[in-house]
């Protein structure tokens, strides 16, 4: 029987090794830390061999777990290929850029009432209340600025009301779910802060996250919300690549899901 080839991009080497070991002889695994050279020819996906430059290998399935500065074209190629990809390539493409991804996500969420404005390129802005400006392409807690009074954008930005409350993330991998409390030493909150941990799941937020995941046909997703001190809930951002390395229980669930996904 001809072996199948699995391309893994961005996962930690230890996770790649675990997956490869469980897959056994039926699959050959090609792993890249960074974006590899790929091409799509007549509907067939090829990746350059890590060992032999300019030698291209046919790919049957892809696992993608990374955020790179110039990865939109890569994700678009995967979506055009429309082959087996974890997470779903079209969903990743639709969510990759922060502002367009947010706008698409708001269509699927019932917690979409946060007051938002937008400026294009460099513009002056004045606010008589605390607001947060968000720009750029990263989903890592970067490119954000809280202010009131005068501010000038350096590039296209969304400006939203600042909500004082608890920041949380709903993580979905297949039919498993978790709620993570996001913490930080400032108003900026992150899954990477030492105080961040699992907490009791809010069923309303879970249902909303499931609806968003279905909207983008994504098998795994990370959805950030803010729960205001008054109890009101607001969608903040949808992460097309939910980090699976921070918490061991999520990492284990991801490895199991990935193995089952490849072999099904």
């Amino acid at each position: 029987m001809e072996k199948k080839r699995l391309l893994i991009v961005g996962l930690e080497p230890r996770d790649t090794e675990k997956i490869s070991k469980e897959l056994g002889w039926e699959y050959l695994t090609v792993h890249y830390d960074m974006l590899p050279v790929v091409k799509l020819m007549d509907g067939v996906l090829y990746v350059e061999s890590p060992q032999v430059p300019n030698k291209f290998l046919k790919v049957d399935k892809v696992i993608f777990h990374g955020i790179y500065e110039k990865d939109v074209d890569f994700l678009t190629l995967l979506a055009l290929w429309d082959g087996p990809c974890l997470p779903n390539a079209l969903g990743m493409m639709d969510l990759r850029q922060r502002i367009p991804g947010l706008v698409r996500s708001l269509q699927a969420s019932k917690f979409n009432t946060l007051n938002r404005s937008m400026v294009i390129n460099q513009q002056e802005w004045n606010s008589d209340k605390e607001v947060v400006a968000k720009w750029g392409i990263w989903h890592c807690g970067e490119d954000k600025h809280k202010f009131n009074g005068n501010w000038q954008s350096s590039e296209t930005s969304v400006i939203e009301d600042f909500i004082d409350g608890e920041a949380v993330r709903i993580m979905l991998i297949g039919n498993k779910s978790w709620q993570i409390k996001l913490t930080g030493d400032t108003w900026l909150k992150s899954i990477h802060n030492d105080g961040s941990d699992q907490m009791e799941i809010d069923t309303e937020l879970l249902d909303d996250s499931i609806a968003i995941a279905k909207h983008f046909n994504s098998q795994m997703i990370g959805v950030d919300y803010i729960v205001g001190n008054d109890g009101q809930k607001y969608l903040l951002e949808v992460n097309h690549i939910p980090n699976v390395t921070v918490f061991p229980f999520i990492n284990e669930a991801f490895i199991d899901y990935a193995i089952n996904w490849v072999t099904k």
Side-chain angles (χ1 to χ4, degrees), residues 25 54 102 125 194 201:
W25 63 270
N54 297 318
L102 171 64
W125 188 267
D194 289 340
I201 202 160

Side-chain angles (χ1 to χ4, degrees), residues 169-180 198-203 205-207 209-210 219 221 249-250 253:
R169 174 173 297 180
I170 300 293
M171 295 279 292
L172 300 177
I173 300 178
N175 60 5
K176 292 189 175 182
S177 57
W178 306 264
Q179 182 166 318
I180 306 297
Q198 186 176 10
M199 61 186 296
E200 183 179 354
I201 202 160
D202 182 315
T203 55
L205 297 183
L206 175 59
D207 289 344
S209 296
I210 291 173
Q219 311 96 319
I221 207 167
F249 54 90
I250 291 180

Side-chain angles (χ1 to χ4, degrees), residues 9 32-37 64 68-72 74-75:
V9 179
Y32 276 91
D33 291 323
M34 304 302 291
L35 291 179
V37 176
F64 189 90
Y68 304 93
E69 184 175 4
K70 297 181 179 179
D71 60 7
V72 173
F74 189 92
L75 297 179

Side-chain angles (χ1 to χ4, degrees), residues 29 66 123 145 159 207 234 241:
T29 301
Q123 292 189 40
H145 178 63
I159 301 168
D207 289 344
Y234 306 94
I241 301 292

Side-chain angles (χ1 to χ4, degrees), residues 34-139:
M34 304 302 291
L35 291 179
V37 176
V38 294
K39 57 184 177 181
L40 182 62
M41 299 178 60
D42 298 325
V44 179
L45 177 63
Y46 295 90
V47 63
E48 186 176 34
S49 167
Q51 291 81 30
V52 185
N54 297 318
K55 178 180 180 181
F56 283 83
L57 309 169
K58 179 179 177 294
V59 174
D60 296 284
K61 294 188 176 185
V62 176
I63 295 176
F64 189 90
H65 189 271
I67 298 178
Y68 304 93
E69 184 175 4
K70 297 181 179 179
D71 60 7
V72 173
D73 287 346
F74 189 92
L75 297 179
T76 302
L77 184 145
L78 291 180
L80 183 61
W81 171 52
D82 198 27
C85 185
L86 178 68
N88 174 266
L90 183 60
M92 288 195 291
M93 184 191 75
D94 284 342
L95 287 169
R96 174 62 186 95
Q97 295 178 313
R98 170 181 275 166
I99 296 175
L102 171 64
V103 175
R104 295 182 181 108
S105 301
L106 290 171
Q107 304 304 308
S109 173
K110 73 175 185 178
F111 301 115
N112 57 5
T113 58
L114 185 60
N115 186 42
R116 288 183 169 95
S117 305
M118 183 172 169
V119 294
I120 296 177
N121 299 325
Q122 296 181 352
Q123 292 189 40
E124 291 186 358
W125 188 267
N126 183 276
S127 175
D128 57 3
K129 57 186 176 181
E130 274 197 319
V131 293
V132 176
K134 299 179 180 179
W135 62 92
I137 62 172
W138 302 108
H139 291 261

